[in-house]
Amino acid sequence: MLSNRRNWLRQMGLGALSIGASRLNGFASAPPAYIPRYNLADGQSVRLSSNENPYGPSPMARAAMSEYITASNRYSWQLGPDLITALAQKNNLTADHIILGAGSTQVLDLASRLAALNKGSFVMSFPTYPYWSATLENLGMKKISVPLTADKKNDLSAILKAIQPDTQLVYLCNPNNPTGTICNHEELVHFVEEASKKAWVLVDEAYIDFTSERSLSSLVNENKKLVIARTFSKIYGLAGARIGYAMAHPATIEQLSRMQSWPNGDISVVSTAAAIASLKDEKFVKETHALNQHARRYTIEQMERLNIPCIPSHTNFIYFSLANHQPDFFEQLKQNNILGTGIYEEQGKWSRITVGTLPEMQKLISAIDTAHA
Ligand SMILES: Cc1ncc(COP(=O)(O)O)c(C=O)c1O
């Protein structure tokens, strides 16, 4: 336990503080540890692996979190409904269209479990965000994978064709992770209409705030087979706070809530307060949006200069091909303490990198530019 704590402190760049208990008291009043941890100046690793927001949580969320630490002895009887009301307002829906989860992973799980009640198969693109799908396979369902189009977009007509008589769920990530591509809104509306005649449709809008696209949220007023997952982990910078939500028809929310022992009850008071404050902090969202676009443009320009083709991205990550890159890219990252991802598609050696701050992306580019070696 003690050595875990020491490791943790060392990771935070605060190893010296682990020496004695009196010093640990000092730690309590030190600045938030996450700031030095990702600051290049301290020589720690640069995390470009999980599409986190390098600037968050927002100032208003941080203040709310500090305030609500002292309310953590109470369950979130009032705050949970407050957040649901705020989310309903933001999305032009009523409160009975919303269910909260500890991250959107939890609402993806709820929808998966609902779909799995009848066994059968489920359909998803390849590559796409896969982490919820293991639950379905573990529950005995068969996965049907549909390749993306040549320009790395979800192939909507191929997904529709792949639906089988026993298909219970169709998952669509828009914008798609890991490729950063988006679907045309009208085509998407048509797709949802068709697919939902045959199965549950789970649309994951984790990255929609980085785009200027419209959400599909208005469709849940009528469509009882559509579930839309959203998260506070990305543009709101609350990945570690674990908070997300689903939007669906009230009848569907009722069904989803039966998949959870305590519907809306899994999120801490501190995280709920952070989410409420984040929704009000429009300045932070705008700044993140602009900073992300700037750092993304820089990175794509530089990678293409280095003969690394990139797919145009609508998100806070970039999908790129290492087919022409001679040096060992992953070794270059490792040598420079940069965390990236792996290869998603062998054909073309496609990988993904998160857009961090501009200095982080400059560090990435100098790590992979052999002219600098
Ligand atoms: C498309 C997509 N959906 C859902 C998630 C999970 O997010 P959360 O932190 O809300 O569980 C991620 C996380 O990277 C993601 O990329």
Side-chain angles (χ1 to χ4, degrees):
M1 188 68 188
L2 186 62
S3 81
N4 278 348
R5 183 161 181 90
R6 264 197 210 111
N7 282 342
W8 179 68
L9 289 165
R10 202 172 298 124
Q11 268 181 1
M12 296 286 175
L14 293 166
L17 288 179
S18 66
I19 294 165
S22 61
R23 298 276 196 95
L24 277 174
N25 292 339
F27 173 65
S29 58
Y34 49 80
I35 294 176
R37 187 178 184 191
Y38 300 131
N39 184 341
L40 288 182
D42 74 351
Q44 297 293 305
S45 61
V46 176
R47 278 175 69 138
L48 303 178
S49 47
S50 306
N51 304 340
E52 295 152 339
N53 181 337
Y55 314 103
S58 85
M60 282 167 71
R62 291 178 199 207
M65 289 168 109
S66 308
E67 189 186 336
Y68 274 87
I69 284 172
T70 52
S72 295
N73 57 323
R74 303 290 180 193
Y75 292 114
S76 64
W77 300 122
Q78 188 48 45
L79 272 191
D82 284 354
L83 176 57
I84 290 175
T85 304
L87 288 171
Q89 246 167 32
K90 174 184 158 59
N91 292 289
N92 242 335
L93 296 168
T94 52
D96 50 358
H97 290 86
I98 310 278
I99 188 166
L100 303 177
S104 59
T105 298
Q106 191 178 39
V107 300
L108 295 172
D109 265 357
L110 295 181
S112 301
R113 277 191 251 150
L114 182 58
L117 291 176
N118 296 320
K119 302 291 178 205
S121 62
F122 63 100
V123 181
M124 62 194 283
S125 297
F126 177 81
T128 193
Y129 181 70
Y131 290 101
W132 54 276
S133 64
T135 308
L136 282 184
E137 291 187 283
N138 292 336
L139 289 169
M141 293 186 77
K142 189 174 145 245
K143 175 162 84 181
I144 299 172
S145 285
V146 179
L148 301 176
T149 59
D151 51 359
K152 306 293 178 199
K153 293 184 176 169
N154 283 303
D155 191 337
L156 298 181
S157 54
I159 295 175
L160 285 179
K161 282 192 200 127
I163 298 174
Q164 300 299 307
D166 74 346
T167 297
Q168 305 297 333
L169 178 89
V170 176
Y171 170 83
L172 195 86
C173 188
N174 186 57
N176 190 42
N177 179 4
T179 58
T181 51
I182 45 171
C183 302
N184 168 281
H185 186 76
E186 278 69 38
E187 285 170 19
L188 198 54
V189 170
H190 171 73
F191 168 84
V192 169
E193 202 177 303
E194 291 305 309
S196 62
K197 289 178 189 159
K198 299 175 180 159
W200 290 103
V201 179
L202 177 55
V203 177
D204 189 338
E205 294 187 339
Y207 300 97
I208 194 113
D209 301 302
F210 290 98
T211 75
S212 47
E213 291 295 301
R214 275 170 291 160
S215 164
L216 291 182
S217 57
S218 65
L219 301 187
V220 302
N221 282 307
E222 302 292 333
N223 194 325
K224 292 189 181 164
K225 297 292 277 186
L226 172 63
V227 177
I228 300 173
R230 300 287 289 266
T231 182
F232 282 88
S233 297
K234 306 302 175 184
I235 204 144
Y236 293 110
L238 290 170
R242 311 302 305 124
I243 184 154
Y245 64 104
M247 295 179 282
H249 189 278
T252 310
I253 293 291
E254 172 66 28
Q255 284 181 283
L256 289 171
S257 68
R258 281 192 224 130
M259 300 293 111
Q260 203 175 15
S261 301
W262 182 6
N264 300 310
D266 286 351
I267 305 144
S268 74
V269 172
V270 172
S271 300
T272 310
I276 293 171
S278 294
L279 291 175
K280 295 180 189 145
D281 205 335
E282 287 172 18
K283 181 169 174 276
F284 173 79
V285 170
K286 274 198 193 122
E287 278 170 6
T288 291
H289 200 281
L291 289 166
N292 176 65
Q293 273 192 345
H294 182 59
R296 186 176 71 199
R297 197 177 317 118
Y298 162 81
T299 310
I300 291 180
E301 272 169 19
Q302 293 299 314
M303 287 178 95
E304 299 210 317
R305 176 181 65 80
L306 297 172
N307 208 12
I308 300 177
C310 299
I311 298 294
S313 169
H314 297 266
T315 58
N316 65 338
F317 52 87
I318 299 163
Y319 199 54
F320 55 91
S321 167
L322 290 169
N324 307 323
H325 191 66
Q326 289 306 324
D328 182 339
F329 178 85
F330 300 105
E331 190 54 32
Q332 289 178 313
L333 260 52
K334 198 169 149 201
Q335 290 303 320
N336 289 278
N337 234 340
I338 300 171
L339 299 176
T341 62
I343 294 286
Y344 288 79
E345 292 176 270
E346 272 305 327
Q347 178 86 32
K349 291 200 165 55
W350 290 92
S351 186
R352 188 196 76 189
I353 201 87
T354 298
V355 178
T357 63
L358 190 61
E360 286 173 338
M361 302 323 278
Q362 285 164 338
K363 181 169 177 183
L364 167 75
I365 296 302
S366 57
I368 60 174
D369 185 352
T370 39
H372 278 84

